[in-house]
Amino acid sequence: MTFKEFATSEVIIYLLARERAKCVRKNRNSKYRDAKGEPGISTQLERMLPPHGVWVRPGKLAREKHDSLWCSTHGIINAVRNARKNPTELDRAYLKELDLFIERIQERAGSNYTTFSSPKTAALFKKEKTTSDGVKVIYRPISIYSNLEDKILIALASRYLMKIFNSSLHEEILSYRPARRYHGSQRMVVTNQENAVANAIDFRNRHNAGEIWVAECDIQKFYDIINHDVIMECFDDLAKEKRIRDYDSVRPFLLAYLESYNFPGNVLSENDSQDFWQPERSKYRHGKYYRKSNAVFCFEWVSEKDFTDPVHGCYSKDEFRNAYTKLGVPQGGALSPVIADVVMNSVDRPVIEFDDPNRFFNRYGDDILLMHISQKDCHNFIEAYRSSLREHRFIYHPFEDFSLYKKGKSTRRCYWDAKSKDAFLWGDGEGTASQWIGFVGYEISRDGNVRLRRSSLDKKFSQVNRTYHKVLSTPIPNDRSGWGKYEKSVIWRLTRMTESISKCSLLTANRFSSAQMACLDRYRQRKIHKMKEIILSRHYGYFVYDVFKKMASKDFSFNQRLK
């Protein structure tokens, strides 16, 4: 199946419906226009899809199994199907626009040459650094393709590439994969970070009687430094090795995606743009730093010195200058996850190609965890992996002497800040030994206890806080007829807040995780109590108090979900 044959009207309508559902969920302003004065994406979608009031709601069983985005997407698709069977005058208007759009997409999908407009860059807060000159506020760049045709074509190319390459990727690539049979599972599953951590726990259980040596590796600015030539080489080599003939039909779209973006030109240049960091334009983005005169806002990148370092770098000075405009892929672009999987499939080969039952290797995104029962083999494997990273023009976070993390038998706090660690013993003791290891949001002890990482715990606190502000920002109806619906929305949000911990299914009941859940419960109780007082004062004394009493009970506590 070629890319043109893959771009059917059903797939295009699904992608349009999903994009429309995202716009509704995020409450995007349909009157927004881009820099050229053209209608924004939300307005274009409204013209070619049915109005919100006629969406066909999925059945109760389907709604219980899926999230609101899935329900809205399929509600739009069902409405379009019904409109095609017996169209009204209103239906004919948007169906005509929809059919014309589908024709344009299919025509471009069959072309041997295409171009994409460069994406816009948005800033997402990442962290802050205190310097001698003040506060340095660092943001993560998010790329947004504002041209709807480009956006749908890129999404089509992403789905097509993953379809033709998915079976050629090695099994332990866990991120960004579609549903598949993993480790002989009877059902099709979408692998995630929970699978990565569960695999590490399983390896520990199988080799618990002896020593286990661990090495961790993390790539610096993975999406921001990946080389375009390396990407095309990895795709071309894998297609040739696996004899994927249909790859040639989508190759021009992959090339156009890379040509539309490079990190220095699209992101790094914004550091010098006063207009981009205008306080009036970015008040919400800057948050608490908005009024600080000594705050500096910027995007971070790897220094040229690290790129050209003779030991850990991956370029000579001439090579770096030539590759400067071919570095980076858009974070937020639909093709970037597929690119990451195919490139890292090639990077992982020095480790994966050896079938060693005493070795464990898992990678989720750019986080790599390697374990072995032999210190020498563990060290050799991680050395081979580091060499492979350099060959593919990646820079990893530096490996430091493990003794810097130790004070007697205790482990210093700087251990958790380190991204890459050479082979160390998983267990209690002095020297190169650590009782706990961290991997994709969890921390696992040698005796089998599992707790949340500090960053993951902070995210749970943020979820509670966001729910609190969402409830309070919801307007209270003036008439009694709307009060019941308002109360249901409050109950739904409070329930979702509590159920968020259910996603952390690998947590074990131990003194560490219990203390974490107790802190979350105390914070949640304070927020619910404060929420109740504010809503009752606004609601003229009318609100079902039992709602808050029920949500504050032990049945809805985080600790209860842990047991």
Side-chain angles (χ1 to χ4, degrees):
M1 179 189 290
T2 63
F3 183 50
K4 184 179 180 179
E5 294 169 340
F6 177 78
T8 61
S9 58
E10 289 79 11
V11 178
I12 296 171
I13 290 171
Y14 169 79
L15 294 173
L16 288 169
R18 187 174 176 83
E19 194 63 35
R20 172 75 175 121
K22 289 179 183 178
C23 289
V24 171
R25 187 171 67 170
K26 295 180 180 179
N27 296 318
R28 290 180 182 168
N29 186 359
S30 62
K31 297 180 181 179
Y32 172 78
R33 293 177 178 272
D34 62 19
K36 297 180 180 179
E38 297 296 325
I41 284 181
S42 182
T43 303
Q44 295 177 57
L45 290 168
E46 287 176 7
R47 290 177 180 176
M48 65 180 75
L49 292 174
H52 199 171
V54 299
W55 294 0
V56 181
R57 194 182 188 195
K60 184 178 179 181
L61 290 177
R63 295 199 306 272
E64 289 176 351
K65 290 181 180 179
H66 302 92
D67 60 9
S68 60
L69 181 63
W70 185 96
C71 294
S72 297
T73 302
H74 285 78
I76 297 170
I77 294 171
N78 294 335
V80 172
R81 286 175 183 164
N82 292 346
R84 289 197 186 279
K85 292 177 183 177
N86 188 20
T88 63
E89 194 64 33
L90 178 63
D91 294 334
R92 291 190 186 95
Y94 75 74
L95 286 175
K96 182 180 178 181
E97 292 285 336
L98 177 60
D99 291 337
L100 288 172
F101 183 86
I102 291 172
E103 287 179 12
R104 293 196 300 271
I105 292 295
Q106 290 176 336
E107 184 179 352
R108 288 184 66 181
S111 173
N112 292 326
Y113 174 77
T114 191
T115 58
F116 295 134
S117 56
S118 291
K120 296 178 180 178
T121 300
L124 180 67
F125 175 78
K126 184 179 180 181
K127 61 182 179 181
E128 64 172 284
K129 284 184 179 179
T130 304
T131 64
S132 57
D133 299 328
V135 179
K136 188 177 182 181
V137 190
I138 300 166
Y139 291 86
R140 187 189 305 278
I142 304 297
S143 298
I144 303 169
Y145 284 87
S146 55
N147 183 294
L148 184 59
E149 285 191 24
D150 289 353
K151 198 177 185 72
I152 297 302
L153 269 170
I154 290 169
L156 275 170
S158 173
R159 293 169 70 87
Y160 181 73
L161 280 169
M162 185 50 74
K163 177 182 176 64
I164 63 176
F165 280 106
N166 186 38
S167 59
S168 302
L169 304 177
H170 72 76
E171 193 175 35
E172 297 310 325
I173 292 181
L174 303 180
S175 52
Y176 319 127
R177 300 286 291 274
R180 59 194 171 110
R181 300 191 187 280
Y182 180 64
H183 285 185
S185 62
Q186 294 182 350
R187 291 184 178 182
M188 302 287 280
V189 296
V190 178
T191 51
N192 53 29
Q193 55 263 50
E194 302 281 323
N195 297 99
V197 178
N199 291 340
I201 295 172
D202 180 62
F203 182 84
R204 174 253 169 207
N205 293 338
R206 285 187 284 112
H207 298 88
N208 197 33
E211 290 185 345
I212 298 178
W213 293 83
V214 182
E216 300 174 22
C217 184
D218 195 290
I219 303 171
Q220 289 194 52
K221 306 291 180 186
F222 176 79
Y223 284 109
D224 301 338
I225 67 170
I226 189 169
N227 188 295
H228 295 181
D229 292 336
V230 171
I231 293 170
M232 296 308 300
E233 185 180 341
C234 290
F235 272 93
D236 293 346
D237 289 348
L238 188 59
K240 184 178 180 180
E241 178 187 342
K242 302 296 182 179
R243 298 180 181 179
I244 304 173
R245 297 176 182 176
D246 294 330
Y247 162 69
D248 290 337
S249 65
V250 75
R251 191 178 188 276
F253 296 86
L254 175 61
L255 195 58
Y257 181 75
L258 298 178
E259 290 174 348
S260 71
Y261 177 92
N262 67 78
F263 188 87
N266 290 74
V267 178
L268 205 62
S269 59
E270 299 291 5
N271 283 347
D272 301 324
S273 172
Q274 294 182 356
D275 181 60
F276 185 84
W277 302 107
Q278 278 279 347
E280 294 79 9
R281 181 172 176 260
S282 313
K283 181 175 180 180
Y284 175 76
R285 179 170 65 199
H286 296 336
K288 65 181 181 180
Y289 308 103
Y290 171 59
R291 298 187 181 278
K292 291 186 177 181
S293 58
N294 62 345
V296 176
F297 308 103
C298 66
F299 297 111
E300 247 188 354
W301 203 40
V302 180
S303 67
E304 182 178 349
K305 182 181 177 181
D306 290 333
F307 275 115
T308 58
D309 184 271
V311 179
H312 303 292
C314 51
Y315 293 97
S316 67
K317 291 186 177 180
D318 289 338
E319 288 174 337
F320 178 69
R321 280 193 292 269
N322 294 332
Y324 189 72
T325 57
K326 293 184 177 182
L327 298 178
V329 293
Q331 291 195 53
L335 267 170
S336 297
V338 186
I339 290 171
D341 280 350
V342 172
V343 172
M344 294 309 293
N345 182 74
S346 179
V347 174
D348 296 341
R349 280 194 174 182
V351 176
I352 290 296
E353 64 186 2
F354 293 102
D355 187 15
D356 186 348
N358 296 322
R359 183 217 68 217
F360 170 87
F361 175 84
N362 260 182
R363 180 180 53 74
Y364 192 85
D366 58 349
D367 290 333
I368 299 103
L369 182 66
L370 191 147
M371 294 191 282
H372 204 284
I373 62 173
S374 164
Q375 180 184 13
K376 181 181 178 181
D377 289 340
C378 184
H379 177 76
N380 290 340
F381 272 123
I382 201 65
E383 278 296 322
Y385 197 80
R386 288 157 68 173
S387 298
S388 181
L389 285 173
R390 288 193 295 270
E391 288 174 10
H392 289 82
R393 307 295 190 179
F394 285 112
I395 302 171
Y396 49 82
H397 286 276
F399 289 76
E400 297 179 352
D401 185 3
F402 201 87
S403 61
L404 298 173
Y405 310 135
K406 297 289 290 186
K407 186 178 180 180
K409 287 189 176 183
S410 61
T411 305
R412 298 177 185 270
R413 188 171 182 177
C414 60
Y415 166 81
W416 300 110
D417 297 329
K419 300 284 188 177
S420 299
K421 306 180 185 77
D422 207 340
F424 64 93
L425 182 65
W426 189 12
D428 195 18
E430 298 182 359
T432 57
S434 176
Q435 179 70 7
W436 292 86
I437 63 171
F439 191 42
V440 288
Y442 288 91
E443 292 171 1
I444 314 164
S445 72
R446 188 64 171 85
D447 54 12
N449 290 327
V450 182
R451 67 188 183 193
L452 288 175
R453 294 194 76 161
R454 178 63 181 269
S455 57
S456 300
L457 185 63
D458 289 342
K459 289 178 182 177
K460 296 298 176 185
F461 280 104
S462 297
Q463 287 179 10
V464 174
N465 191 45
R466 280 198 302 271
T467 302
Y468 168 81
H469 286 289
K470 282 181 180 178
V471 170
L472 293 185
S473 63
T474 305
I476 300 174
N478 294 325
D479 57 327
R480 285 179 175 269
S481 61
W483 286 0
K485 187 176 180 181
Y486 173 74
E487 289 179 2
K488 286 181 180 178
S489 71
V490 172
I491 294 171
W492 179 77
R493 289 197 183 279
L494 291 176
T495 305
R496 288 285 297 271
M497 175 179 69
T498 304
E499 289 178 348
S500 66
I501 198 63
S502 301
K503 297 178 181 179
C504 305
S505 58
L506 296 177
L507 285 178
T508 60
N510 56 75
R511 64 187 182 92
F512 305 103
S513 58
S514 295
Q516 290 177 334
M517 296 304 106
C519 289
L520 270 174
D521 273 331
R522 285 194 295 271
Y523 184 70
R524 176 179 165 276
Q525 294 288 77
R526 289 200 302 270
K527 286 295 183 181
I528 288 179
H529 182 73
K530 192 174 180 180
M531 193 189 307
K532 178 195 74 174
E533 291 182 341
I534 294 174
I535 291 179
L536 288 178
S537 64
R538 293 178 182 175
H539 218 212
Y540 310 106
Y542 174 84
F543 201 82
V544 183
Y545 173 74
D546 288 341
V547 170
F548 294 103
K549 187 176 181 180
K550 179 181 179 181
M551 292 300 165
S553 66
K554 289 184 178 180
D555 293 337
F556 286 84
S557 70
F558 292 114
N559 244 327
Q560 184 68 22
R561 298 300 171 100
L562 182 61
K563 295 178 181 179

